[in-house]
Amino acid sequence: MSAIINDIEIIKSETTKINDVDFNNLKFGHVFSDHMLECDYKDGKWQAPKVVPYQGITLDPSAKIFHYGQSVFEGMKAYKDAHEKVWLFRPLDNFKRINISSKRLAIPELPENYFMDGLKALLEVDKDWIPSNEGSSLYIRPFIFASGNGFHASPADEYKFIICTAPSGSYFSGDVKVLIEEKYSRSANGGVGFAKAGGNYAGQFYPTQLAIEKGYQQVIWTDDNTHEYIEEAGAMNIFVRINDTLITGPTSDRILDGITRKSIIELAESENIPVEVRKLTVAEVVEAAKNGSLKEMFGAGTAAVISPISGFGYKGEDYEIEKIDNTYASFLKKRITDIQTNKAEDPFGWRYEVK
């Protein structure tokens, strides 16, 4: 069956998987909704997007995604409030960032209406897939990859833009213990660390696996040159609280301009929490852990929102972070999720209703 929503062609699935889903026990990103948005770039322009049944993709073995890694993505969530209204959180920031990432990887940039109208049409078709139970959301994964063929080392001439969605529960459960990396780097000056490029994450898996084998759950990434500065926590931005001051590193070629990161900074400042955006050395964090002034560390990103860190390892020594009451992490996470789910006022204009 075909229809039109927001000028987007809708080809509906003849069947649904929704009745087979236990919405009270959702893993993160394991179950996928009935439909997806699909849009092709060919003949020098993006073609009209359309919503189609969720399905596999057929590619030629010479498709350049397999050989030269032109791939970027975003992470977003949709929420349903008590009145069945559907909300997004700062979606235009995701649109802007996927184009920033695309430009760095020589991928053609998307028109805003293709991204936003396509996303809204997809959510309208699959709105029953948006969970309303506490702590759950519809995770949204927009991505673009090189579908054009050829072994020549050059940008592709064809690309595919897709948005898939997955009803999901919490990304992490409980605090995580991390290892401060002393050898491997996530990214480098002049590189693509600021972009949400697939290869950035592929390069993280091996060092993270080594950390897991040592009893940690994640890696704290340090700068590529000296490994003296704290930069990111796994696939998230990182915040460190020393005494009452919240500290995070400045964005750069190496650090992703996280949407949750920006929101935490703005929200904390509005609550008169001292915030410093500056370079933070490993030595400063270790000293703070030793003298008791290190009160909190946490990762920040779309999937987990905020993920508390219970301790870290460095140069063969472990440092535990003593649990305290009324943490910034719990306060800020609740403030953000209450805004996201329409349980609180949004003085920042971050919440976006899907109509």
Side-chain angles (χ1 to χ4, degrees):
M1 186 172 69
S2 181
I4 300 292
I5 299 178
N6 296 328
D7 296 325
I8 307 293
E9 182 184 2
I10 312 294
I11 302 171
K12 287 195 173 182
S13 174
E14 294 180 359
T15 59
T16 181
K17 303 167 290 190
I18 199 167
N19 297 321
D20 299 325
V21 177
D22 181 358
F23 280 85
N24 294 313
N25 293 286
L26 289 169
K27 293 183 179 180
F28 185 87
H30 277 255
V31 176
F32 303 98
S33 313
D34 285 329
H35 298 87
M36 65 186 196
L37 182 81
E38 188 173 45
C39 181
D40 289 309
Y41 179 92
K42 58 184 180 180
D43 300 326
K45 64 179 182 180
W46 286 104
Q47 309 298 306
K50 57 186 176 181
V51 173
V52 299
Y54 185 90
Q55 59 192 277
I57 301 167
T58 300
L59 293 172
D60 192 281
S62 69
K64 290 199 172 185
I65 178 57
F66 300 133
H67 307 279
Y68 303 113
Q70 279 182 288
S71 173
V72 298
F73 70 95
E74 277 297 318
M76 311 170 65
K77 287 179 179 178
Y79 308 86
K80 190 178 285 183
D81 69 15
H83 305 288
E84 296 291 300
K85 291 183 177 180
V86 176
W87 302 92
L88 297 169
F89 185 71
R90 305 185 71 165
L92 287 172
D93 287 333
N94 293 100
F95 162 70
K96 292 172 185 174
R97 193 171 61 185
I98 201 169
N99 274 347
I100 289 170
S101 299
S102 293
K103 186 174 182 179
R104 180 60 181 85
L105 270 72
I107 295 171
E109 295 175 46
L110 283 166
E112 180 179 323
N113 63 316
Y114 281 24
F115 185 95
M116 291 301 299
D117 292 347
L119 175 56
K120 288 186 284 186
L122 177 61
L123 293 177
E124 174 63 27
V125 172
D126 277 346
K127 61 185 175 183
D128 290 343
W129 284 86
I130 305 172
S132 54
N133 40 326
E134 191 72 27
S136 296
S137 59
L138 185 72
Y139 186 76
I140 303 167
R141 173 52 59 86
F143 59 103
I144 308 172
F145 64 90
S147 56
N149 303 333
F151 292 146
H152 187 267
S154 60
D157 58 358
E158 294 186 2
Y159 298 86
K160 192 173 284 288
F161 167 51
I162 291 175
I163 303 179
C164 295
T165 62
S168 297
S170 298
Y171 189 67
F172 288 118
S173 57
D175 296 356
V176 297
K177 188 178 177 183
V178 298
L179 179 66
I180 296 180
E181 184 56 53
E182 301 175 57
K183 176 181 178 181
Y184 296 100
S185 298
R186 176 189 172 275
S187 57
N189 288 332
V192 297
F194 68 91
K196 282 190 76 71
N200 287 346
Y201 298 81
Q204 294 184 31
F205 295 155
Y206 176 66
T208 302
Q209 187 59 45
L210 294 179
I212 290 170
E213 291 171 3
K214 294 177 181 178
Y216 304 91
Q217 284 83 49
Q218 269 296 349
V219 167
I220 294 291
W221 299 105
T222 51
D223 68 288
D224 63 302
N225 187 25
T226 65
H227 294 289
E228 293 178 1
Y229 296 97
I230 297 286
E231 295 206 330
E232 292 204 347
M236 297 181 287
N237 295 118
I238 186 168
F239 286 82
V240 176
R241 175 184 174 183
I242 297 178
N243 291 317
D244 289 332
T245 301
L246 198 57
I247 307 166
T248 192
T251 55
S252 66
D253 285 351
R254 303 185 307 276
I255 298 178
L256 183 73
D257 186 12
I259 294 165
T260 306
R261 171 189 176 276
K262 291 190 290 190
S263 304
I264 288 171
I265 293 170
E266 194 171 343
L267 181 57
E269 290 174 340
S270 77
E271 297 286 347
N272 296 315
I273 294 172
V275 178
E276 294 180 2
V277 180
R278 63 170 174 85
K279 287 188 173 184
L280 178 65
T281 64
V282 177
E284 185 178 355
V285 174
V286 170
E287 179 57 29
K290 288 179 177 178
N291 65 30
S293 61
L294 178 62
K295 304 300 183 183
E296 295 180 69
M297 294 175 68
F298 55 84
T302 296
V305 185
I306 289 176
S307 180
I309 294 169
S310 61
F312 65 90
Y314 182 62
K315 291 191 180 297
E317 195 167 343
D318 282 337
Y319 300 86
E320 297 299 319
I321 301 174
E322 186 177 344
K323 286 186 177 294
I324 60 173
D325 296 328
N326 303 315
T327 62
Y328 287 170
S330 59
F331 172 74
L332 293 168
K333 182 172 184 176
K334 185 176 189 308
R335 288 282 282 112
I336 288 175
T337 54
D338 281 353
I339 290 172
Q340 290 172 331
T341 54
N342 197 29
K343 293 178 181 176
E345 292 297 317
D346 176 18
F348 309 99
W350 292 337
R351 195 166 52 224
Y352 181 100
E353 185 177 358
V354 179
K355 299 179 180 178

